[in-house]
């Protein structure tokens, strides 16, 4: 095992321990928590090492960054999440590359995802990204607009709302 792989395994165990403690405080089972390792900026070999250490959910920030890595990692049994802001012109590509969109932040995006998911004949899990910080430079829907977005997403049969980010 390389030094990098050993460090990844040790870091992963520390994260799992924090999850176990947090789950206990919340009176939940640690198995109910899904760890999504954000792999943006890391090369494919580091992602493989994290997978070998037990990670099964990975988050990428950009469609264009994940696209070339995807071809190198498509043999892995993993779930790929888009965790970054999704531009309308990249929705079709994102639906082909990712299993889940964890950054749904506007009605227009929900409608486009629905249209393209219907065409592709698939359902896509989504998280509504909420902007809790007051800065307009942050991504996410404003807290006050969230109920309207949630209602709309729940009416779209190809989008499966799983929660909030």
């Amino acid at each position: 095992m390389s030094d990098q792989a050993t460090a990844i395994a040790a870091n992963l165990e520390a994260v799992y321990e924090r999850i176990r403690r947090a789950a206990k405080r919340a009176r939940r089972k640690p198995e109910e928590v899904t760890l999504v390792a954000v792999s943006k900026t890391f090369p494919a070999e580091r992602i493989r090492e994290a997978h070998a250490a037990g990670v099964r959910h990975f988050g990428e920030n950009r469609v264009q960054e994940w696209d070339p890595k995807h071809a190198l990692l498509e043999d892995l049994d993993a779930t790929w999440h888009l965790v970054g802001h999704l531009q309308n012109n990249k929705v079709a590509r994102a639906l082909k590359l990712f299993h889940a969109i964890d950054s749904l932040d506007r009605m227009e995006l929900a409608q486009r995802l629905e249209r393209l998911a219907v065409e592709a004949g698939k359902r896509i899990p989504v998280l509504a990204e909420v902007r809790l910080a007051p800065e307009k430079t942050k991504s996410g829907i404003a807290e006050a607009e969230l109920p309207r977005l949630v209602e709309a997403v729940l009416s779209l049969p190809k989008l499966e709302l799983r929660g909030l980010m």
Side-chain angles (χ1 to χ4, degrees), residues 21-53:
R21 288 194 313 261
K24 184 178 179 180
R25 284 192 308 274
R27 294 183 175 91
R28 293 186 61 195
K29 296 176 184 172
E31 307 82 54
E32 295 174 336
V33 176
T34 300
L35 171 67
V36 178
V38 177
S39 52
K40 67 178 187 173
T41 73
F42 288 95
E45 68 186 65
R46 294 290 91 78
I47 296 169
R48 278 194 181 282
E49 290 166 345
H51 186 271

Side-chain angles (χ1 to χ4, degrees), residues 14-120:
V15 169
Y16 281 132
E17 179 55 33
R18 290 178 66 192
I19 289 171
R20 286 189 287 274
R21 288 194 313 261
K24 184 178 179 180
R25 284 192 308 274
R27 294 183 175 91
R28 293 186 61 195
K29 296 176 184 172
E31 307 82 54
E32 295 174 336
V33 176
T34 300
L35 171 67
V36 178
V38 177
S39 52
K40 67 178 187 173
T41 73
F42 288 95
E45 68 186 65
R46 294 290 91 78
I47 296 169
R48 278 194 181 282
E49 290 166 345
H51 186 271
V55 176
R56 293 299 178 264
H57 290 260
F58 293 89
E60 284 287 334
N61 202 42
R62 295 191 171 119
V63 173
Q64 64 272 23
E65 183 180 335
W66 174 237
D67 205 354
K69 284 196 249 182
H70 176 260
L72 301 171
L73 299 166
E74 61 189 344
D75 62 307
L76 295 183
D77 177 26
T79 301
W80 308 103
H81 299 253
L82 177 64
V83 298
H85 180 74
L86 179 56
Q87 298 170 327
N88 284 332
N89 65 343
K90 294 192 173 121
V91 172
R93 190 69 188 138
L95 280 174
K96 290 178 182 166
L97 294 172
F98 295 97
H99 299 112
I101 307 296
D102 293 355
S103 54
L104 179 60
D105 62 356
R106 60 197 183 281
M107 192 74 68
E108 177 188 10
L109 178 58
Q111 292 165 341
R112 183 149 172 79
L113 279 167
E114 173 71 11
R115 250 188 335 274
L116 292 172
V118 165
E119 289 174 16

Side-chain angles (χ1 to χ4, degrees), residues 128-156:
E129 182 178 5
V130 184
R131 183 182 68 240
L132 298 175
E135 301 94 53
K136 292 287 186 192
T137 57
K138 301 288 183 183
S139 292
I141 190 161
E143 193 175 354
E145 297 172 39
L146 180 61
R148 201 183 96 197
L149 179 64
V150 167
E151 279 185 38
V153 171
L154 290 175
S155 74
L156 300 172

